[in-house]
Amino acid sequence: MEYVLKADEMKACDEYTINGIGIPSMVLMERAALSVVSALEERKIPLKGKKALIAAGTGNNGGDGLAIGRLLSRIGAEVTFYLEGNLQKLSAETRAQARILKNMGFSILSKTEDIEYDMVVDALFGIGLSREITGSFKEAIEKINRQKERGAFVCSVDIPSGICADTGRIYGCAVKADLTVAFAFAKRGHLLYPGRAYAGELAVADIGIPNAAFREAIPSGFYYEKGELSKLLPGRSPFGNKGTFGKVLLLAGSHDMSGACLLCGKAVLRTGAGMLKIITPACNREIVQQSLPEALLYSFEGEPDEEAVKKALLWADVVVAGPGMGCGEASYQLLSQVLESASHPMVIDADGLNLLAMHRELWEMAGGHKDTLILTPHPGELMRLIMAAPAEAAFVKAGHQREASVQGAHPQSEAFGALTVEYPADRETIIRGLAKELKAIVAAKDAATLVAEDGRAEIFFNTSGNDGMAAAGSGDVLAGIIGGLAAQGMNGFESACLGVYLHGLAGDEARRKLGAYGMLAGDICESIPDVMRKVSPP
């Protein structure tokens, strides 16, 4: 597990390291500069004899850049130093770095030369940026991006200039880096889009800030790295049986929607759960029996039999509900029966979420669920849940217009549209609020999925996955993975976090084999064992 910090958390760590622990800021700056040069060398970026431009600002990020340029010159790069901004506002450390360069005979330009460079070090702004970029700074960023278009390798110092460290939003314009070397810890802007797309490859460098710098409060975000997967997966008993590895009850499928049922069910079993039982309308019986013979089945005509559902619940360890269910009366009755009777960990996805948004009584039943509740909404489903929340819900901003109907806001409504625009800038607050409202775990699916749990300070930021996963059925596979992990004894939050991460790794494996254009959701499902096999003992 690696931490993801907000800008103010990182600043507090810096301040305590310098003033509380006593490590001088110039020492940290030198270590930061060394880490950037090391990252470039590790990636075999040509340096000796190459033309390098250092684009520095007046803050400490600029000081880092000046120190990097000095080190690059020592290993043979032809370095040009350029400093943008009011020289009267140089930080003490950046002023000291400029003085060192002057003493060594270097000049620092106030305007860039119109020549081509082999590499540009972007050190204009650090994580403290909080305003739109205009004027000469905007021109400087545009020039860096033009250098990249001409073939220059662009390395950003700590974060690409123009990216918000807390949200990943772009402050008008931003540097498009090939490599970003983050100091001490990743920041949210490195992992959230669009900042993630601007950061290029992310390298997190140890510059000597100890964990003691957190003092009493640990960071509020974390992510997984691939090397951790073997420790994260649930254990396998060599003398276990199919019951040992958990029984999942899946409520899925409707007329003309058998595919979601099959994708989710296969993902449950591919993840390692021992048994699967599917409740689905009778129209899906034959295709399920033919395509997924490993699954038990209860199919019904009309509406599901309440006693049969209760019997299935007594059998199960975990419930997954929603993929392809539809939102008709039979689906409403089935979800209502399960929410009323189930005392199991429960994953609700897709139409299960839409039913919660449509029916106040289901919403209230979900909020009072007797065990762990995991919701896996994509942005549209999340918006519908938010618009269906009680008007007094803390995370629903007072300025939003709300629909009076218990069916929530229509996707074309003005309120829905306004919230959809606002969501990317305030994802964390909104997701945490929904988790609190329903006393649930929310895995908010997106290009960068976040997982939050009611009452938990930490939020999970997913780093795996790719655009090839933006395909119908991908979410059904995720719901099955989470359900399969939960059935094997993992707690709800760990199941959701690992499920999201494993889902993305399987997507990366599918892309490696097939490419992004030709991937199907089924390819993600079939790649789950490939990912798990690589890290599990033979």
Side-chain angles (χ1 to χ4, degrees):
M1 182 182 77
E2 301 294 332
Y3 291 129
V4 184
L5 271 61
K6 294 181 178 179
D8 59 356
E9 291 173 333
M10 189 68 245
K11 289 174 184 176
C13 283
D14 282 336
E15 182 178 349
Y16 187 71
T17 299
I18 296 165
N19 300 320
I21 297 173
I23 300 176
S25 60
M26 285 295 284
V27 171
L28 296 177
M29 186 170 281
E30 288 298 312
R31 291 199 61 170
L34 283 165
S35 72
V36 173
V37 175
S38 295
L40 293 169
E41 290 179 324
E42 289 168 5
R43 287 154 182 80
K44 296 181 170 51
I45 306 301
L47 301 173
K48 190 173 183 179
K50 299 299 182 179
K51 293 181 180 180
L53 173 66
I54 308 298
T58 57
N60 277 2
N61 193 255
D64 295 331
L66 297 180
I68 292 164
R70 170 165 45 82
L71 296 175
L72 290 175
S73 71
R74 290 193 62 187
I75 57 178
E78 297 179 21
V79 181
T80 298
F81 295 91
Y82 155 62
L83 199 151
E84 179 61 59
N86 187 344
L87 298 184
Q88 302 303 312
K89 295 183 179 180
L90 288 177
S91 70
E93 292 80 3
T94 302
R95 191 177 300 279
Q97 293 290 354
R99 186 167 56 250
I100 292 170
L101 290 176
K102 181 179 180 182
N103 292 339
M104 293 178 66
F106 289 103
S107 298
I108 300 178
L109 305 178
S110 58
K111 291 185 178 180
T112 56
E113 299 173 326
D114 189 20
I115 62 174
E116 292 187 13
Y117 294 93
D118 300 301
M119 182 174 67
V120 180
V121 175
D122 158 39
L124 291 170
F125 292 105
I127 62 173
L129 181 67
S130 59
R131 59 179 173 80
E132 295 293 303
I133 295 176
T134 58
S136 60
F137 281 104
K138 181 179 180 181
E139 293 175 7
I141 288 174
E142 290 171 346
K143 288 180 179 179
I144 292 173
N145 288 337
R146 283 199 293 271
Q147 289 289 338
K148 177 180 172 66
E149 291 170 1
R150 295 171 183 169
F153 184 89
V154 177
C155 176
S156 285
V157 176
D158 209 11
I159 195 166
S161 294
I163 297 297
C164 174
D166 286 349
T167 67
R169 66 162 286 198
I170 301 170
Y171 284 121
C173 63
V175 169
K176 298 175 182 177
D178 296 294
L179 170 68
T180 297
V181 182
F183 300 142
F185 305 98
K187 318 306 183 292
R188 281 156 164 74
H190 295 133
L191 306 183
L192 298 174
Y193 288 97
R196 184 163 162 178
Y198 281 70
E201 181 188 355
L202 177 65
V204 180
D206 178 7
I207 63 170
I209 294 178
N211 283 347
F214 293 132
R215 303 177 75 182
E216 297 179 0
I218 64 171
S220 57
F222 72 97
Y223 64 99
Y224 294 143
E225 291 190 322
K226 198 168 185 179
E228 301 177 82
L229 187 58
S230 61
K231 299 177 182 178
L232 296 170
L233 290 173
R236 301 286 292 184
S237 170
F239 50 85
N241 57 55
K242 61 187 178 183
T244 305
F245 300 118
K247 295 172 283 186
V248 176
L249 179 64
L250 172 60
L251 321 179
S254 58
H255 183 69
D256 290 338
M257 290 290 286
S258 59
C261 173
L262 293 171
L263 285 167
C264 188
K266 286 182 180 180
V268 167
L269 296 175
R270 288 293 191 192
T271 307
M275 300 181 74
L276 170 69
K277 185 168 188 174
I278 300 173
I279 299 181
T280 192
C283 57
N284 292 322
R285 180 191 300 118
E286 186 173 343
I287 190 169
V288 171
Q289 289 175 330
Q290 290 177 350
S291 302
L292 195 56
E294 297 87 350
L296 302 172
L297 186 65
Y298 162 52
S299 60
F300 59 88
E301 297 279 0
E303 295 183 1
D305 178 73
E306 189 169 354
E307 290 304 314
V309 172
K310 287 182 178 179
K311 184 177 179 180
L313 288 171
L314 289 173
W315 169 88
D317 298 311
V318 172
V319 177
V320 178
M325 277 182 71
C327 295
E329 181 61 25
S331 298
Y332 168 82
Q333 292 295 337
L334 179 57
L335 185 59
S336 177
Q337 291 170 19
V338 170
L339 284 171
E340 184 176 17
S341 302
S343 56
H344 312 72
M346 186 169 179
V347 181
I348 303 183
D349 181 47
D351 285 328
L353 299 171
N354 292 329
L355 285 165
L356 295 188
M358 292 170 64
H359 300 279
R360 172 67 61 195
E361 62 275 20
L362 294 182
W363 174 285
E364 292 173 352
M365 291 166 71
H369 183 63
K370 302 178 183 70
D371 205 310
T372 303
L373 182 67
I374 303 172
L375 311 180
T376 57
H378 61 52
E381 292 159 352
L382 185 66
M383 294 301 102
R384 286 190 281 276
L385 288 170
I386 291 168
M387 296 306 296
E392 65 272 15
F395 67 101
V396 179
K397 296 198 172 181
H400 289 308
Q401 298 179 11
R402 298 181 57 85
E403 300 288 331
S405 169
V406 296
Q407 293 188 357
H410 189 276
Q412 301 302 318
S413 74
E414 182 180 345
F416 190 94
L419 194 54
T420 301
V421 170
E422 180 179 302
Y423 170 61
D426 203 17
R427 285 186 71 200
E428 190 171 333
T429 300
I430 291 172
I431 294 164
R432 285 184 184 276
L434 181 61
K436 182 178 181 180
E437 182 67 25
L438 283 170
K439 303 177 182 63
I441 297 160
V442 177
K445 297 180 292 194
D446 213 317
T449 295
L450 306 184
V451 182
E453 180 179 21
D454 177 36
R456 183 181 291 267
E458 306 91 351
I459 191 167
F460 173 74
F461 291 77
N462 189 46
T463 57
S464 63
N466 60 81
D467 57 337
M469 300 175 70
S474 179
D476 304 320
V477 174
L478 174 61
I481 292 174
I482 295 173
L485 292 172
Q488 294 173 72
M490 296 188 70
N491 72 45
F493 186 68
E494 291 173 348
S495 297
C497 296
L498 180 56
V500 166
Y501 185 57
L502 180 58
H503 180 246
L505 291 179
D508 291 338
E509 179 69 13
R511 177 172 179 156
R512 186 189 66 78
K513 293 184 289 188
L514 300 167
Y517 289 98
M519 283 172 55
L520 303 176
D523 299 319
I524 301 171
C525 188
E526 296 307 316
S527 296
I528 297 168
D530 294 331
V531 173
M532 299 175 83
R533 187 179 65 249
K534 289 178 181 179
V535 298
S536 60

